[in-house]
Amino acid sequence: QTPRQREAYGMIGGLPVEGYLRAGRFRVPFGLRMDDHTVATRAGFLDFVGGTFLPYDPRLPDMGLEVGAERAGIFGRASYTNGRANVIGQNPYAEAKTLKLGYRTPRFETAASLYDDYAKQRPAAALSANERQTRWGLYGITHWREFALLGEVAAGTDEVRPPAGQMPQDKVNLLAWWTQMDYAPSRSTNVRVRYDYMVTNRSTDPLTRDNSTFYRYALEGEWVPVPFAELRLALRHIDYKENQGLFGVDNENQAYLQFHFSY
């Protein structure tokens, strides 16, 4: 694991309204941070055909400043980070801005988020021609006895800056949402079902839109017999609205068993 995958920051607490300020490497405060980064509103589940929802890897930190506060259940986070900028090379402008506002009680939590990454100066050899990448979303969490319900919906737009001499291209609009029900009959056991929906291009052309629409159904569970060991099982089915790839794949089944040991 490389150092760029780890958070490292300095933090000042005790500011008004239980506020804080931190500077360094940290993950931006967009949306609901999930243990599973492949949910539709995060990196997505399109390993086979490619494509993600967020314009950044949610597992990796960015570098910059973040300020936050909370009072009477109302909380807010705001960050200003590098985004796609390379501060020691081309495109040196840090222009990624993230905002989250929410409300929580012991029974319920909800928050709205906004992420905007604007490239003032795109490097000539950039892998992405996107001038601006914007995402916004809303999530909610609640629970009752052994059950918990989670969900998030998000959308966004990629504004493309075409190479010099070419006509401007249309914006690419995205949409994603998921909902999940957890059942925890004991402290050591949890079972959940989840449905994911993801559209990587909400084009007005029906064929393009259908080729960019994906669904995932999942049954998963964890068993933690002791605090330092976890056994996880997942069964997933991914459905492509239209056939994908060279061989016309229209669905994908996944199953895995994982062992986690803390030390």
Side-chain angles (χ1 to χ4, degrees):
Q1 191 176 36
T2 62
R4 58 182 280 186
Q5 293 176 295
R6 299 173 182 168
E7 293 185 307
Y9 55 83
M11 185 169 178
I12 301 175
L15 301 181
V17 293
E18 302 179 23
Y20 70 88
L21 172 67
R22 64 176 171 178
R25 284 189 175 275
F26 52 85
R27 284 186 276 182
V28 297
F30 179 87
L32 183 60
R33 183 182 295 185
M34 296 288 290
D35 179 54
D36 180 5
H37 72 282
T38 69
V39 297
T41 55
R42 306 300 282 177
F45 48 85
L46 302 180
D47 293 334
F48 188 78
V49 299
T52 65
F53 175 76
L54 288 180
Y56 60 89
D57 191 331
R59 297 168 297 177
L60 303 181
D62 201 353
M63 182 175 288
L65 300 171
E66 178 182 308
V67 61
E70 180 170 352
R71 174 63 61 89
I74 300 174
F75 63 91
R77 311 280 187 267
S79 68
Y80 185 75
T81 55
N82 290 338
R84 291 171 289 162
N86 182 355
V87 296
I88 60 174
Q90 297 186 40
N91 190 27
Y93 302 101
E95 287 292 348
K97 298 166 285 291
T98 310
L99 177 66
K100 179 191 289 187
L101 295 174
Y103 176 72
R104 65 165 60 101
T105 69
R107 181 74 65 176
F108 176 76
E109 178 178 329
T110 185
S113 302
L114 174 67
Y115 177 86
D116 180 69
D117 186 357
Y118 175 65
K120 280 184 176 179
Q121 177 182 330
R122 182 171 59 87
L127 297 177
S128 171
N130 292 314
E131 180 177 32
R132 166 162 267 146
Q133 296 176 303
T134 306
R135 300 293 184 271
W136 51 93
L138 177 69
Y139 73 79
I141 306 172
T142 188
H143 66 92
W144 178 75
R145 294 185 178 179
E146 298 88 4
F147 296 92
L149 180 65
L150 306 83
E152 184 172 27
V153 59
T157 300
D158 291 341
E159 299 182 23
V160 179
R161 178 190 297 173
Q166 293 189 13
M167 295 294 292
Q169 303 177 35
D170 291 337
K171 298 178 181 179
V172 176
N173 296 312
L174 304 92
L175 175 67
W177 65 272
W178 59 269
T179 183
Q180 173 179 309
M181 173 70 79
D182 285 64
Y183 172 61
S186 66
R187 292 175 62 93
S188 63
T189 306
N190 181 69
V191 179
R192 63 177 167 271
V193 292
R194 183 171 61 240
Y195 172 77
D196 293 82
Y197 176 81
M198 185 174 175
V199 185
T200 55
N201 188 346
R202 299 174 63 198
S203 172
T204 55
D205 174 52
L207 180 59
T208 300
R209 185 173 61 251
D210 289 349
N211 280 328
S212 306
T213 301
F214 311 90
Y215 316 88
R216 184 174 69 170
Y217 310 85
L219 173 63
E220 304 173 350
E222 294 96 19
W223 180 49
V224 187
V226 291
F228 55 83
E230 177 183 334
L231 179 66
R232 177 176 297 179
L233 174 66
L235 304 173
R236 296 170 175 174
H237 173 75
I238 301 174
D239 182 34
Y240 308 105
K241 190 168 184 178
E242 292 293 332
N243 293 347
Q244 302 289 325
L246 179 63
F247 302 104
V249 175
D250 60 4
N251 61 70
E252 179 182 351
N253 294 313
Q254 300 175 344
Y256 67 81
L257 182 64
Q258 291 181 329
F259 296 90
H260 297 264
F261 298 97
S262 303
Y263 59 89

